[in-house]
């Protein structure tokens, strides 16, 4: 760690192991590996290349620019790349020419796709709003979207690949009602003459817990990164492995007397004469300012409390009389195998979910890729050869 003040180590072997396990769970249903938010903060391109090397045939990213990043590094058309959130002024031409699958939720959006078609039809997934209300056509507007899609498909402008929805995961009964509404919408589309070759409904939690919702494909994100979404269920409980470990190196140590006020506002005062160590990670890197009293970090196999307010670029740790030196590794979260907290423990301590924790780790924290999966196409990318 002494060569770097801070780093997020990404274990691609762990990602591959999770991928293999989840595919086993989902078999024979197709798996879409979701990589929105720069692959949940793990780095889109290396994660995507590792997934492709593992045989993944579907990748989901939020936006067309992210999809085009994957095409630019050699993820070819044999791998379907699905996007569903589109800027109002987006020109879909490059996406269509690059065979990017487009989630479409309303008639004006579909018309913009149709207008951008040149020499090949656009691959379209029709979104239905089954109750989450973020995306998809409402039941009122679904017939209009179906009619417009049918007309565009008959004209050779689009290929309707699938219908999809996203569940609120509020309760079993409400999710069941949402899927029933989606099923009715698909039946309505088919009665109107539109063939729906594929359906996808479930994401990580519903895909794991509700086998009957898996349809033709499940969109999996958090589980692949070792972050199960079920309350009270750890990664180890499911056989998943944490993919990201956040580390830093002790930058400074300082001996201080009893009663010393620490960091902004003196919200922490030392109970005895003690040693404070400076950890060069702050809220600009994703560590919450109010972590004091909630989070502990591990140094040399032992946990220590964060002392005082987290600043923009650093925080302090009270290590008592222990022998902690400049350059020692500080593990903020990881697998839990070396006394450190896990990302799920961070989420519980901060009243949030593990996905938010990994996504908030800032861009100035270098991602370091580990494991034998960081070879082949991933290594070529990291060397600038793709």
């Amino acid at each position: 760690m002494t060569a770097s003040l801070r780093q997020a180590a990404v274990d691609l072997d762990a990602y591959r192991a999770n991928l293999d396990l989840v595919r086993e769970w989902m078999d024979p249903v197709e798996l879409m590996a979701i990589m929105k938010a720069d692959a949940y903060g793990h780095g889109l391109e290396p994660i995507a290349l590792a997934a492709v090397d593992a045989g993944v045939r579907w990748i989901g990213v939020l936006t067309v620019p992210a999809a085009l990043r994957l095409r630019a590094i050699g993820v070819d058309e044999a791998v379907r790349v699905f996007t569903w959130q589109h800027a109002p002024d987006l020109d879909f031409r490059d996406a269509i020419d690059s065979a990017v699958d487009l989630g479409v939720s309303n008639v004006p959006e579909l018309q913009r796709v149709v207008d951008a078609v040149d020499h090949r039809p656009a691959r379209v997934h029709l979104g239905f709003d089954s109750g989450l209300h973020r995306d998809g056509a409402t039941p009122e507007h679904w017939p209009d979207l179906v009619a417009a899609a049918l007309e565009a498909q008959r004209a050779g402008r689009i290929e309707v690949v699938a219908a999809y929805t996203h569940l609120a995961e509020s309760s079993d009964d409400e999710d069941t009602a949402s899927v029933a509404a989606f099923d009715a919408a698909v039946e309505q589309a088919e009665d109107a003459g539109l063939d729906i070759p594929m359906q996808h409904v479930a994401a990580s939690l519903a895909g794991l817990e509700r086998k009957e919702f898996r349809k033709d494909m499940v969109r999996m994100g958090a589980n692949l990164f070792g972050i199960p979404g079920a309350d009270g269920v750890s990664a180890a409980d499911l056989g998943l492995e944490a993919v990201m470990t956040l580390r830093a190196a002790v930058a400074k140590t300082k001996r201080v007397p009893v009663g010393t006020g620490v960091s902004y506002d003196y919200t922490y005062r030392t109970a005895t004469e003690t040693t404070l160590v400076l950890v060069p990670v702050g809220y600009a890197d994703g560590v919450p300012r109010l972590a004091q009293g909630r989070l502990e970090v591990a140094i040399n196999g032992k946990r220590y409390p964060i002392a005082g307010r987290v600043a923009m670029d650093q925080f302090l740790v009270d290590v008592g009389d222990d022998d902690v030196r400049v350059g020692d590794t500080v593990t903020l979260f990881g697998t839990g195998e070396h006394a450190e907290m896990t990302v799920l423990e961070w989420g519980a301590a901060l009243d949030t979910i593990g996905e938010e924790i990994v996504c908030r780790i800032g861009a100035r924290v270098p991602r370091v890729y580990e494991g034998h999966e960081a070879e082949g196409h991933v290594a070529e990318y990291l060397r600038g050869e793709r």
Side-chain angles (χ1 to χ4, degrees), residues 164-242:
Y164 72 100
T165 193
H166 196 69
L167 303 178
E169 297 175 350
S170 176
S171 70
D172 284 347
D173 288 345
E174 287 169 313
D175 284 350
T176 298
S178 292
V179 174
F182 174 78
D183 290 342
V186 171
E187 183 177 357
Q188 183 181 29
E190 292 181 333
D191 287 346
L194 183 63
D195 180 42
I196 306 291
M198 177 181 283
Q199 301 173 37
H200 49 105
V201 169
S204 286
L205 183 58
L208 183 64
E209 297 188 341
R210 301 292 297 270
K211 186 175 182 178
E212 70 274 23
F213 292 170
R214 292 176 184 174
K215 302 290 186 181
D216 301 300
M217 181 163 61
V218 174
R219 305 182 302 265
M220 277 282 171
N223 283 322
L224 300 181
F225 297 99
I227 310 170
D231 290 341
V233 177
S234 72
D237 292 335
L238 296 175
L240 299 169
E241 301 179 31

Side-chain angles (χ1 to χ4, degrees), residues 262-280:
V262 178
S263 195
Y264 293 120
D265 303 325
Y266 286 175
T267 57
Y268 182 93
R269 290 182 182 273
T270 57
T272 63
E273 180 183 348
T274 191
T275 298
L276 299 176
V277 303
L278 183 72
V279 181

